[in-house]
Amino acid sequence: MKRLAIYVYALGLLGIFLSSCQKILDKEPSDFVQPENYYNSENDLNFALAGVYDPLGSEYLYASGLWFQFGDCTDESFYPNSSNSFSAPMFYQYDYTNPFVGGLWQECYKGIERANLLLEHIDKPAMDERKRQAIAGEALFLRAYYHFLLVSNFGAVPLKMASTTNVSSVDIPATPAKEVYEQLLQDMREAETKVLKATEIGNASHVSQTTVQGILARVCLYMAGYPLKDETKYGEALEWAKKVVESGEHRLLESYDTGLTNSAYSQIFINHAQDKYDIGECLWEADFNMNEGNSAYAEGGRLGTYQISCVNVDTGYASGGIRTTIKLYNLYGEGDLRRDWAITPFTFESTQTTAVRVPQPANNIINRESGKWRRYFEPNSFIKQQYRTGQNFPILRYADVLLMLAEAENEVNGPTAIAYEAINQVRRRGYGLPVQAYSELADAAPGLAQSDFRQLIMDERARELCFEALRKPDLIRWGTFTDVLSATAEEIMTSNASTTNKSRWVLGYNTAISSPRYLLLPIPALEINVNKAIKQNPGW
């Protein structure tokens, strides 16, 4: 990681008393730091806070799991399985023993345990009170966010509001999903009053006030949709999204910004490759670092390694494991600059010593590769491992906030001028146009009915946010998951791909639509085997 790296690295040297692993030990380990002997200074609190953030960079969260393993196989993308000989989440071949299922669960509870320990000792050191409250706010928010990842993926889960004091007390029943959501909302609302503003923090690694507001809008939209269907939450989502916009702390990166040589949309992701923060555009990022000058703290994710396939050293290795659908390609209108960035119009000739671009044939749409994050923009000074990069993952972007505002406004008040302006700003930027000025080319058709505007939002979220770990949960909360995946499977089978490829690519879709159990992940084996008070999710 970058700004948090030194703290996370130091945590390893201190001995991980912050871990949530429940192991039965017959003696105290010599390198174990007792909580009562820690949290004695502001520096100690910052070390501990870095430990709370650290699971975000896990292989099972934003290094890979949430956006690749569990994010592939939607109407945006699929995994080009070359055989039917192995199982993996990206084509719905998994059960409760899968390491990514267990890893997501374990890493979230690790973050929750660390947050609880920090909050329980937050008042211990003498320090500036404003800084103390900011640390408390970030820990509160992160505890809530880890619970959000759990409840949105697993449904009812144990609500953990205090640190573990007895490792033998492992029989913890699941809390109903609605209660988990209500508690995490309470935590986030409190955190919003404590954390610092984005412009004061100066980077997207730490949670800011507008980060909390934007994620609160997301949480409320999830609660308004399936399975809770609490439509009163649309109004709260609208208020939180408006707060982000009205803060004046964020804006869409535009093509005429000083020094911008690429399209504004592509520059967002080039910045990730080049280790640059843009807090106006990106509110919150999972932070990684592969900078040669800071190699002692190297921590890489896989962003960029599953995009444009290439084996050349100068471009950085990538496997092309995320392929596009015909639907996503056709969603983009003529002149929309996002299409040929998100979906690469070329391949690399991998037999060359120096990579050579080969244009994709016009009739080859399905099976084109995702190109959002491109390794050839990484500076040569960066460490280029085969399956690791320092590219940050954008957990929350300002464009997402605008689209959430438009969605919530449409559900509460219909397709008003407020809803149109929010979605049109995103669309104008996609066409490389000034975001504040009317555009006949980019602006959505006026006078749409509420249902048609709703569909416009669904499509616009795919155009803008594809491959960013949001599509599957969007489809689930909209109640369209099964129908959309069925249509995508039919699209694949009627494409011009070979019969063999089609039968492989459609495998995950046919599995996902075969049972409603795939709307939730199974409670992992590591929990079922230890926790006798928890029940497995239906169908698993």
mmCIF file with all atom_site columns, all heavy atoms in Angstrom, residues 11-23:
data_model
loop_
_atom_site.group_PDB
_atom_site.id
_atom_site.type_symbol
_atom_site.label_atom_id
_atom_site.label_alt_id
_atom_site.label_comp_id
_atom_site.label_asym_id
_atom_site.label_entity_id
_atom_site.label_seq_id
_atom_site.pdbx_PDB_ins_code
_atom_site.Cartn_x
_atom_site.Cartn_y
_atom_site.Cartn_z
_atom_site.occupancy
_atom_site.B_iso_or_equiv
_atom_site.pdbx_formal_charge
_atom_site.auth_seq_id
_atom_site.auth_comp_id
_atom_site.auth_asym_id
_atom_site.auth_atom_id
_atom_site.pdbx_PDB_model_num
ATOM 1  N N   . LEU A 1 11 ? 2.691   -3.401  11.582 1.00 0.00 ? 11 LEU A N   1
ATOM 2  C CA  . LEU A 1 11 ? 1.787   -4.297  12.299 1.00 0.00 ? 11 LEU A CA  1
ATOM 3  C C   . LEU A 1 11 ? 2.328   -5.725  12.300 1.00 0.00 ? 11 LEU A C   1
ATOM 4  O O   . LEU A 1 11 ? 2.242   -6.444  13.285 1.00 0.00 ? 11 LEU A O   1
ATOM 5  C CB  . LEU A 1 11 ? 0.398   -4.276  11.675 1.00 0.00 ? 11 LEU A CB  1
ATOM 6  C CG  . LEU A 1 11 ? -0.513  -3.135  12.101 1.00 0.00 ? 11 LEU A CG  1
ATOM 7  C CD1 . LEU A 1 11 ? -1.752  -3.126  11.234 1.00 0.00 ? 11 LEU A CD1 1
ATOM 8  C CD2 . LEU A 1 11 ? -0.879  -3.252  13.559 1.00 0.00 ? 11 LEU A CD2 1
ATOM 9  N N   . GLY A 1 12 ? 2.889   -6.116  11.155 1.00 0.00 ? 12 GLY A N   1
ATOM 10 C CA  . GLY A 1 12 ? 3.448   -7.459  11.078 1.00 0.00 ? 12 GLY A CA  1
ATOM 11 C C   . GLY A 1 12 ? 4.600   -7.641  12.040 1.00 0.00 ? 12 GLY A C   1
ATOM 12 O O   . GLY A 1 12 ? 4.792   -8.707  12.618 1.00 0.00 ? 12 GLY A O   1
ATOM 13 N N   . LEU A 1 13 ? 5.398   -6.590  12.246 1.00 0.00 ? 13 LEU A N   1
ATOM 14 C CA  . LEU A 1 13 ? 6.525   -6.668  13.145 1.00 0.00 ? 13 LEU A CA  1
ATOM 15 C C   . LEU A 1 13 ? 6.090   -6.664  14.603 1.00 0.00 ? 13 LEU A C   1
ATOM 16 O O   . LEU A 1 13 ? 6.778   -7.165  15.481 1.00 0.00 ? 13 LEU A O   1
ATOM 17 C CB  . LEU A 1 13 ? 7.467   -5.485  12.895 1.00 0.00 ? 13 LEU A CB  1
ATOM 18 C CG  . LEU A 1 13 ? 8.066   -5.388  11.479 1.00 0.00 ? 13 LEU A CG  1
ATOM 19 C CD1 . LEU A 1 13 ? 8.948   -4.163  11.383 1.00 0.00 ? 13 LEU A CD1 1
ATOM 20 C CD2 . LEU A 1 13 ? 8.870   -6.645  11.168 1.00 0.00 ? 13 LEU A CD2 1
ATOM 21 N N   . LEU A 1 14 ? 4.948   -6.077  14.878 1.00 0.00 ? 14 LEU A N   1
ATOM 22 C CA  . LEU A 1 14 ? 4.470   -5.972  16.255 1.00 0.00 ? 14 LEU A CA  1
ATOM 23 C C   . LEU A 1 14 ? 3.894   -7.283  16.788 1.00 0.00 ? 14 LEU A C   1
ATOM 24 O O   . LEU A 1 14 ? 3.714   -7.451  17.980 1.00 0.00 ? 14 LEU A O   1
ATOM 25 C CB  . LEU A 1 14 ? 3.386   -4.887  16.359 1.00 0.00 ? 14 LEU A CB  1
ATOM 26 C CG  . LEU A 1 14 ? 3.902   -3.455  16.292 1.00 0.00 ? 14 LEU A CG  1
ATOM 27 C CD1 . LEU A 1 14 ? 2.732   -2.509  16.124 1.00 0.00 ? 14 LEU A CD1 1
ATOM 28 C CD2 . LEU A 1 14 ? 4.682   -3.112  17.543 1.00 0.00 ? 14 LEU A CD2 1
ATOM 29 N N   . GLY A 1 15 ? 3.565   -8.208  15.873 1.00 0.00 ? 15 GLY A N   1
ATOM 30 C CA  . GLY A 1 15 ? 2.834   -9.404  16.300 1.00 0.00 ? 15 GLY A CA  1
ATOM 31 C C   . GLY A 1 15 ? 1.357   -9.108  16.170 1.00 0.00 ? 15 GLY A C   1
ATOM 32 O O   . GLY A 1 15 ? 0.889   -8.080  16.626 1.00 0.00 ? 15 GLY A O   1
ATOM 33 N N   . ILE A 1 16 ? 0.631   -9.996  15.544 1.00 0.00 ? 16 ILE A N   1
ATOM 34 C CA  . ILE A 1 16 ? -0.731  -9.644  15.139 1.00 0.00 ? 16 ILE A CA  1
ATOM 35 C C   . ILE A 1 16 ? -1.727  -9.969  16.249 1.00 0.00 ? 16 ILE A C   1
ATOM 36 O O   . ILE A 1 16 ? -2.492  -10.919 16.178 1.00 0.00 ? 16 ILE A O   1
ATOM 37 C CB  . ILE A 1 16 ? -1.091  -10.372 13.824 1.00 0.00 ? 16 ILE A CB  1
ATOM 38 C CG1 . ILE A 1 16 ? 0.016   -10.158 12.801 1.00 0.00 ? 16 ILE A CG1 1
ATOM 39 C CG2 . ILE A 1 16 ? -2.398  -9.830  13.262 1.00 0.00 ? 16 ILE A CG2 1
ATOM 40 C CD1 . ILE A 1 16 ? 0.308   -8.693  12.501 1.00 0.00 ? 16 ILE A CD1 1
ATOM 41 N N   . PHE A 1 17 ? -1.726  -9.128  17.280 1.00 0.00 ? 17 PHE A N   1
ATOM 42 C CA  . PHE A 1 17 ? -2.747  -9.307  18.301 1.00 0.00 ? 17 PHE A CA  1
ATOM 43 C C   . PHE A 1 17 ? -4.102  -8.854  17.798 1.00 0.00 ? 17 PHE A C   1
ATOM 44 O O   . PHE A 1 17 ? -5.128  -9.156  18.387 1.00 0.00 ? 17 PHE A O   1
ATOM 45 C CB  . PHE A 1 17 ? -2.380  -8.529  19.573 1.00 0.00 ? 17 PHE A CB  1
ATOM 46 C CG  . PHE A 1 17 ? -2.652  -7.054  19.496 1.00 0.00 ? 17 PHE A CG  1
ATOM 47 C CD1 . PHE A 1 17 ? -3.899  -6.542  19.836 1.00 0.00 ? 17 PHE A CD1 1
ATOM 48 C CD2 . PHE A 1 17 ? -1.670  -6.195  19.074 1.00 0.00 ? 17 PHE A CD2 1
ATOM 49 C CE1 . PHE A 1 17 ? -4.138  -5.184  19.764 1.00 0.00 ? 17 PHE A CE1 1
ATOM 50 C CE2 . PHE A 1 17 ? -1.916  -4.838  18.999 1.00 0.00 ? 17 PHE A CE2 1
ATOM 51 C CZ  . PHE A 1 17 ? -3.151  -4.319  19.337 1.00 0.00 ? 17 PHE A CZ  1
ATOM 52 N N   . LEU A 1 18 ? -4.094  -8.152  16.646 1.00 0.00 ? 18 LEU A N   1
ATOM 53 C CA  . LEU A 1 18 ? -5.332  -7.640  16.096 1.00 0.00 ? 18 LEU A CA  1
ATOM 54 C C   . LEU A 1 18 ? -6.105  -8.697  15.322 1.00 0.00 ? 18 LEU A C   1
ATOM 55 O O   . LEU A 1 18 ? -7.207  -8.456  14.861 1.00 0.00 ? 18 LEU A O   1
ATOM 56 C CB  . LEU A 1 18 ? -5.023  -6.472  15.166 1.00 0.00 ? 18 LEU A CB  1
ATOM 57 C CG  . LEU A 1 18 ? -4.395  -5.246  15.846 1.00 0.00 ? 18 LEU A CG  1
ATOM 58 C CD1 . LEU A 1 18 ? -3.864  -4.285  14.801 1.00 0.00 ? 18 LEU A CD1 1
ATOM 59 C CD2 . LEU A 1 18 ? -5.406  -4.560  16.724 1.00 0.00 ? 18 LEU A CD2 1
ATOM 60 N N   . SER A 1 19 ? -5.531  -9.863  15.110 1.00 0.00 ? 19 SER A N   1
ATOM 61 C CA  . SER A 1 19 ? -6.186  -10.878 14.284 1.00 0.00 ? 19 SER A CA  1
ATOM 62 C C   . SER A 1 19 ? -7.468  -11.378 14.924 1.00 0.00 ? 19 SER A C   1
ATOM 63 O O   . SER A 1 19 ? -7.588  -11.483 16.124 1.00 0.00 ? 19 SER A O   1
ATOM 64 C CB  . SER A 1 19 ? -5.238  -12.053 14.059 1.00 0.00 ? 19 SER A CB  1
ATOM 65 O OG  . SER A 1 19 ? -5.904  -13.080 13.384 1.00 0.00 ? 19 SER A OG  1
ATOM 66 N N   . SER A 1 20 ? -8.446  -11.727 14.047 1.00 0.00 ? 20 SER A N   1
ATOM 67 C CA  . SER A 1 20 ? -9.713  -12.255 14.551 1.00 0.00 ? 20 SER A CA  1
ATOM 68 C C   . SER A 1 20 ? -9.751  -13.777 14.534 1.00 0.00 ? 20 SER A C   1
ATOM 69 O O   . SER A 1 20 ? -10.764 -14.375 14.845 1.00 0.00 ? 20 SER A O   1
ATOM 70 C CB  . SER A 1 20 ? -10.867 -11.716 13.705 1.00 0.00 ? 20 SER A CB  1
ATOM 71 O OG  . SER A 1 20 ? -10.759 -12.207 12.395 1.00 0.00 ? 20 SER A OG  1
ATOM 72 N N   . CYS A 1 21 ? -8.636  -14.429 14.139 1.00 0.00 ? 21 CYS A N   1
ATOM 73 C CA  . CYS A 1 21 ? -8.644  -15.890 14.081 1.00 0.00 ? 21 CYS A CA  1
ATOM 74 C C   . CYS A 1 21 ? -8.851  -16.455 15.489 1.00 0.00 ? 21 CYS A C   1
ATOM 75 O O   . CYS A 1 21 ? -8.188  -16.045 16.438 1.00 0.00 ? 21 CYS A O   1
ATOM 76 C CB  . CYS A 1 21 ? -7.322  -16.400 13.524 1.00 0.00 ? 21 CYS A CB  1
ATOM 77 S SG  . CYS A 1 21 ? -7.017  -15.866 11.835 1.00 0.00 ? 21 CYS A SG  1
ATOM 78 N N   . GLN A 1 22 ? -9.748  -17.394 15.619 1.00 0.00 ? 22 GLN A N   1
ATOM 79 C CA  . GLN A 1 22 ? -10.070 -17.966 16.915 1.00 0.00 ? 22 GLN A CA  1
ATOM 80 C C   . GLN A 1 22 ? -9.345  -19.306 17.062 1.00 0.00 ? 22 GLN A C   1
ATOM 81 O O   . GLN A 1 22 ? -9.857  -20.355 16.692 1.00 0.00 ? 22 GLN A O   1
ATOM 82 C CB  . GLN A 1 22 ? -11.582 -18.130 17.070 1.00 0.00 ? 22 GLN A CB  1
ATOM 83 C CG  . GLN A 1 22 ? -12.315 -16.795 17.021 1.00 0.00 ? 22 GLN A CG  1
ATOM 84 C CD  . GLN A 1 22 ? -13.805 -16.960 17.140 1.00 0.00 ? 22 GLN A CD  1
ATOM 85 O OE1 . GLN A 1 22 ? -14.344 -17.981 16.772 1.00 0.00 ? 22 GLN A OE1 1
ATOM 86 N NE2 . GLN A 1 22 ? -14.480 -15.941 17.630 1.00 0.00 ? 22 GLN A NE2 1
ATOM 87 N N   . LYS A 1 23 ? -8.126  -19.250 17.604 1.00 0.00 ? 23 LYS A N   1
ATOM 88 C CA  . LYS A 1 23 ? -7.343  -20.462 17.776 1.00 0.00 ? 23 LYS A CA  1
ATOM 89 C C   . LYS A 1 23 ? -7.249  -20.795 19.269 1.00 0.00 ? 23 LYS A C   1
ATOM 90 O O   . LYS A 1 23 ? -7.079  -19.923 20.110 1.00 0.00 ? 23 LYS A O   1
ATOM 91 C CB  . LYS A 1 23 ? -5.937  -20.278 17.206 1.00 0.00 ? 23 LYS A CB  1
ATOM 92 C CG  . LYS A 1 23 ? -5.931  -20.051 15.692 1.00 0.00 ? 23 LYS A CG  1
ATOM 93 C CD  . LYS A 1 23 ? -4.525  -19.919 15.170 1.00 0.00 ? 23 LYS A CD  1
ATOM 94 C CE  . LYS A 1 23 ? -4.507  -19.718 13.667 1.00 0.00 ? 23 LYS A CE  1
ATOM 95 N NZ  . LYS A 1 23 ? -3.143  -19.559 13.123 1.00 0.00 ? 23 LYS A NZ  1
#
